[in-house]
Amino acid sequence: MVSAAGSSGHGQSSHRDRAHGDQAAGTVNVVEDLGAKVSYLALPVGTRVYDVDSAPVGVVEHVLTDEPKDIFHGIIVAPSGPDQSHRFAHREQIADLYERGVVLSVPGAEMHEPGEDRPAGVVEEAAHNPVQADLRRAWQRLSRPR
C-alpha cells in the first residue's frame, strides 16, 4: 500500500492512493489518487470499488440509506466482469469512501449477493430488520428487467 501525501512515513499507510500490482514482486507501477474522503451522501453512482487488497471489484450501483434517519447501510456493487453478479457491501465492510473510489475492509469475495438465501432463523430475524428490508427493496428494484 502506498503512503498518502502528508503521511509521516512512520509505517502509516492510507487508502487514498491505491497501488495496483504485486508489491512483494515489485510490479507496482500505477498509483490512482482516489481524492478526498466523502460522505455517503456525496458518493456518486459509478464510483470504482476496491477490496482490501486494492483489487478492483466493480462500481457503485446504488447507495443504500435511510435518508430520514440519516443512516448509511452500505452499497450495491455492479460487477467489473460480465460473468459476475451484483454484490452488497455492508457499511461494516467499507473502510473508506473517497471522491473517486470506495475501499473495502474485506476481500471482494466476502461481499454477499443482495438476494442470497439465508438459514430460516436468519430470515425470520431479517424480516424485522430495517436494513434487510431496505436491501431487499433495492435488490428488487435493481433486478427488474429494463
Side-chain angles (χ1 to χ4, degrees), residues 57-138:
V57 295
V59 297
V60 174
E61 173 92 10
H62 183 74
V63 179
L64 203 57
T65 66
D66 183 345
E67 288 184 31
K69 295 182 181 178
D70 192 27
I71 298 173
F72 171 60
H73 296 297
I75 58 174
I76 302 288
V77 179
S80 55
D83 297 333
Q84 299 171 334
S85 60
H86 284 78
R87 297 287 182 199
F88 173 67
H90 189 272
R91 69 173 175 245
E92 294 173 356
Q93 294 177 307
I94 299 171
D96 289 305
L97 304 173
Y98 295 95
E99 293 171 319
R100 293 178 293 280
V102 173
V103 180
L104 302 177
S105 60
V106 297
E110 289 187 22
M111 292 188 301
H112 301 287
E113 283 195 36
E116 265 184 6
D117 290 333
R118 292 173 183 83
V122 175
V123 170
E124 289 175 20
E125 179 183 317
H128 302 292
N129 184 333
V131 174
Q132 292 297 328
D134 287 345
L135 178 58
R136 195 174 315 106
R137 279 192 298 277

Side-chain angles (χ1 to χ4, degrees), residues 40-61:
Y40 69 88
L41 298 169
L43 186 64
V45 169
T47 302
R48 291 183 180 150
V49 180
Y50 301 93
D51 74 3
V52 68
D53 297 318
S54 301
V57 295
V59 297
V60 174
E61 173 92 10

Side-chain angles (χ1 to χ4, degrees), residues 2-17:
V2 178
S3 295
S7 171
S8 66
H10 292 68
Q12 296 177 354
S13 63
S14 171
H15 296 295
R16 185 171 181 270
D17 295 319

